[in-house]
Amino acid sequence: MRVHKLTFAALAVAAGLSLTACQSGNDNVGKAQSDPAPKSSASAGSPSKNASDETDTSSDTSSDTSTGSGSGTDASAKTGKCRTADLRITAQDGTVGGDTDGTVVVTLTNRSGHGCTVAGYAGVDLKTSAGSLSAKRTGQETVSAVLKNGESTYFPVSYPLNTSGGSGVRITGLIVTPPDETHPVTLTWPGAPTLPVTDGSGSPVKVGPTGSAGQGN
């Protein structure tokens, strides 16, 4: 009986040691599975992603800026020339008492609804009882003017007054062709009714450039 008791005691001790060893092994396994420390360090890479997002945003902003700067080029469009259809053309007597020559002032008024440019000499012809008489240019320097809608410019037509006492040459109309145009308009002549008879050596009628006379001058 004693031998059997010792055997049971030895078995009990061996079983205890085996149980302790198993528990120690299980603890090591659990520790290995709950150790994600290296993975937490991997999250440190996320700031580099944020940095690339900021770079993308700045590139988007620069593209918007270039788009905005392009819109400024539309503002540099040139104003077109004033055409006959763009203008209201009138004439009035501008002769001042005591002058040896008469003056008719022609007014060009922009009625196009937009700005236009006028510069140079208009073509001027007088219709007379002796035929058409073309005005000569005075040779004055020309200037360019941009007329806003409703604005006007002027030029003078000068001619000799008939002081001979004779009937002279009767003036029946005024034909005006704006600068750089081919379409004329015919106006009623507002000046003295006749020109003196000349020897035909040249036209006594002269025209100044646009902008060289004021209304009523």
Side-chain angles (χ1 to χ4, degrees):
M1 276 310 269
R2 182 174 180 81
V3 174
H4 287 297
K5 287 182 180 181
L6 288 175
T7 300
F8 287 141
L11 288 174
V13 171
L17 292 174
S18 176
L19 180 61
T20 302
C22 289
Q23 286 177 349
S24 175
N26 289 338
D27 289 344
N28 290 334
V29 172
K31 183 177 180 181
Q33 290 177 345
S34 63
D35 228 349
K39 294 204 170 188
S40 64
S41 63
S43 63
S46 58
S48 63
K49 182 178 180 181
N50 292 338
S52 65
D53 290 343
E54 291 176 3
T55 303
D56 293 342
T57 302
S58 63
S59 64
D60 291 343
T61 303
S62 63
S63 64
D64 291 342
T65 302
S66 63
T67 303
S69 62
S71 62
T73 58
D74 294 339
S76 61
K78 293 183 178 180
T79 305
K81 294 179 180 179
C82 296
R83 301 302 182 187
T84 302
D86 296 332
L87 300 169
R88 181 168 60 88
I89 304 174
T90 58
Q92 68 179 48
D93 186 13
T95 304
V96 178
D99 287 350
T100 57
D101 289 334
T103 301
V104 166
V105 177
V106 178
T107 304
L108 308 177
T109 303
N110 180 11
R111 61 176 182 181
S112 65
H114 53 78
C116 64
T117 302
V118 61
Y121 286 85
V124 172
D125 296 280
L126 269 60
K127 295 171 65 177
T128 75
S129 57
S132 180
L133 183 62
S134 297
K136 286 186 175 181
R137 296 179 177 183
T138 61
Q140 292 173 263
E141 185 178 355
T142 63
V143 294
S144 178
V146 176
L147 301 181
K148 295 179 181 179
N149 186 52
E151 289 185 338
S152 302
T153 189
Y154 313 88
F155 66 84
V157 178
S158 62
Y159 61 98
L161 297 172
N162 182 15
T163 59
S164 66
S167 61
V169 177
R170 186 167 56 90
I171 304 172
T172 60
L174 173 64
I175 302 173
V176 175
T177 306
D180 299 317
E181 256 289 14
T182 58
H183 301 288
V185 296
T186 301
L187 307 175
T188 301
W189 175 253
T194 63
L195 294 172
V197 177
T198 65
D199 59 7
S201 59
S203 174
V205 182
K206 298 186 183 301
V207 57
T210 56
S212 62
Q215 187 174 14
N217 291 346

